Each structure stands twice: as C-alpha cells, then as structure tokens.
Amino acid sequence: MTAGEVLKSVAFYALVVVIVLFSVFPFYYAIVTSFATGTALFEINYWPKQFSWANYESVLGGRTFPRNIFNSVFIATTTVVFALFLAVTASYALARVRFRGRGLLLMTILAVSMFPQIAVLAGLFELIRFLGLFNTPYALILSYTIFTLPFTVWVLTTFMRDLPVEIEEAAIVDGATPWIIITRVFLPLLWPALVTTGLLAFIGAWNEFLFALTFTSSETTRTTPVAIALLSGASQQEIPWGPIMAASVIVTVPLIILVLVFQRKIVAGLTAGGVKG
C-alpha cells in the first residue's frame, strides 16, 4: 500500500471510531449512571466506582413499572402483527394487480406519513373517544398502526415488485389462489423486508410518547416512555436521576438484543432491490 492509501485507511477508521463513540457513549454513560447512588450521581465518572442495584430494584419494585413494560411489549407486538398483515396484502395488490390510479394511491398512502402527530392528535382523540377506546391499549394499537402502515406498505410494495414474475405465474398455473401466493410463495421470500419493517415498527411503537401520554390516563395502562417521564419530581433537586437511568437502560436493552439477533435480515431488507443485474 502506498502512503496515500494508508492515510486514507487510517482516516476512514478514525472516522468510524468517532461515529461509534458518538453513538454509543450516551447509552454507556446511562449505564454507568444507573449504578450510582447519592452524591455519586452528580459526579463525572466514566467508569462505575460502585455497582449498586438499588436503582434497578427501585424501578422494578415499583407498583406499576413492570406492568408498563408489559403494556409496551403487548402494544408494540400487536401493532407489528396488524401492520404487517395489512401491509403484505396491500403491497400485493399495489405491486401485482394492475388498476387505474395505483401510483396515485401509493403516493397518497406515503403522504399520510408526512403529517406530524400533533396535526392529527385532536381528530384521532375524538375518534378514539367515539369508539370507546380511551385509556385502553387498543387506542394506542389503532393509532400506531395508522402511522406505521404507510412506511410498511411502501417498503413491502417496493420489495414485492422486485420478485420474479415467473414465480407467481408458475403458482397461478398450478391453481394457486392469491392468498396462497401471498402466504406460500411470497412470504418466504419477503422475510428480510418483513423483519426490517417489523423491527422499525416495533421500535417506533416502543418509543412513542405523545399518543401514549394523550390516550392513557391511569398508571396501569401507560407505556414505559410515559412511565419514565412521570418519574420526575417537582423540581430538579427531586428528580430521581438514578432510577430514570436504570429504567432507560431496561427499556433500551431489548431493542439492542432484537437488532443484534436480526441484523443480517435487517441489512438484507434494507439493501434489497438496490442492485439490478
């Protein structure tokens, strides 16, 4: 290697190290802070001087936080199931069935995701009250599914368009119905895209705050983002930073595990269709 190539390689890896540190350090410092208690919370320590589980015991031993975690898991999982079911069937129609206005319909679906949450909050609140879903998990499932569908439909439609037409034609010749084509032929090929969109939908539902704060009013129906926000005291001196950091670590670790488990599928789903050959 020439001196110029070595310099470029060193600069590239140095940039990678800086990006990794910039991305990982906040979470690492949250972990360090979650083990601190008392005055140690206000000291700058880049390595934990003590490993106290008091903050974790305080959070998990609380009255409702374990229930809030269960609510988040149930709501996020159910949202992903509904969103993927509707998106797969819709993407099949948009990608494989020819009808007038198909492109306009797809652009309309995508345009729905451009509206900020606050713009539709009042109307969605009235709809949820009319349906009798206020202060129930189903209010959040409905609202999250509405905002998750445009992205999932768009990604799955793009992915399904790239699947060979010959596979579908062969299934039709064998007498397969559209439902069998979707479930038996396309679903095994759609796994990378399903994992990618499903995981992103899960993360979005897991971390969502505005709808969860607006559509729930009791401690037993809240999700973890709202529960963590309500851990704060009346003044800065009363804010329980230790328990807040511990709760933040608890709700972040499952997402990291999911990403690590499905990272290959995620990369395949994000890069699918990017190369034509």
Side-chain angles (χ1 to χ4, degrees):
M1 296 179 64
T2 63
E5 292 176 344
V6 172
L7 183 60
K8 289 182 180 179
S9 179
V10 171
F12 172 76
Y13 286 108
L15 179 61
V16 170
V17 170
V18 170
I19 294 175
V20 170
L21 289 176
F22 186 80
S23 303
V24 175
F25 180 77
F27 181 65
Y28 169 76
Y29 198 76
I31 296 176
V32 173
T33 307
S34 68
F35 289 109
T37 57
T39 58
L41 287 169
F42 304 98
E43 299 176 358
I44 300 177
N45 297 314
Y46 299 108
W47 184 259
K49 295 182 178 180
Q50 59 178 351
F51 286 92
S52 174
W53 297 94
N55 294 324
Y56 291 92
E57 293 174 357
S58 174
V59 171
L60 295 177
R63 294 181 303 170
T64 60
F65 194 77
R67 176 61 184 269
N68 300 140
I69 295 177
F70 174 79
N71 291 340
S72 291
V73 172
F74 172 73
I75 292 170
T77 303
T78 308
T79 299
V80 170
V81 171
F82 278 121
L84 290 183
F85 174 77
L86 296 174
V88 168
T89 52
S91 61
Y92 175 79
L94 291 170
R96 296 298 189 179
V97 180
R98 296 184 178 275
F99 57 90
R100 181 175 298 179
R102 181 176 60 172
L104 178 61
L105 178 59
L106 187 59
M107 293 301 297
T108 303
I109 292 174
L110 183 63
V112 173
S113 63
M114 299 179 184
F115 289 94
Q117 290 180 307
I118 193 67
V120 299
L121 183 63
L124 194 56
F125 180 79
E126 291 298 327
L127 174 63
I128 287 173
R129 288 189 59 186
F130 174 77
L131 296 175
L133 301 177
F134 180 74
N135 200 32
T136 66
Y138 304 103
L140 301 181
I141 292 172
L142 174 63
S143 57
Y144 293 169
T145 303
I146 291 173
F147 270 81
T148 301
L149 264 179
F151 171 76
T152 53
V153 169
W154 181 269
V155 173
L156 292 179
T157 300
T158 304
F159 193 94
M160 197 171 291
R161 281 177 178 173
D162 294 332
L163 297 179
V165 181
E166 292 77 11
I167 298 176
E168 182 181 4
E169 292 175 347
I172 294 174
V173 170
D174 291 338
T177 62
W179 179 250
I180 293 178
I181 294 174
I182 294 174
T183 56
R184 302 289 182 85
V185 179
F186 283 163
L187 274 186
L189 301 175
L190 288 172
W191 268 114
L194 290 174
V195 171
T196 303
T197 54
L199 185 57
L200 293 177
F202 185 91
I203 293 174
W206 182 270
N207 292 328
E208 202 281 328
F209 178 79
L210 181 60
F211 288 162
L213 179 65
T214 306
F215 301 150
T216 58
S217 59
S218 62
E219 293 183 353
T220 55
T221 57
R222 293 185 180 122
T223 56
T224 50
V226 179
I228 293 174
L230 296 180
L231 287 175
S232 303
S235 63
Q236 187 173 2
Q237 289 74 18
E238 298 178 5
I239 297 178
W241 293 111
I244 288 177
M245 292 297 102
S248 301
V249 172
I250 291 172
V251 300
T252 305
V253 168
L255 301 182
I256 296 176
I257 294 175
L258 285 175
V259 172
L260 292 177
V261 170
F262 296 107
Q263 59 179 336
R264 291 186 178 180
K265 293 291 185 181
I266 295 172
V267 173
L270 291 176
T271 58
V275 178
K276 298 286 185 179

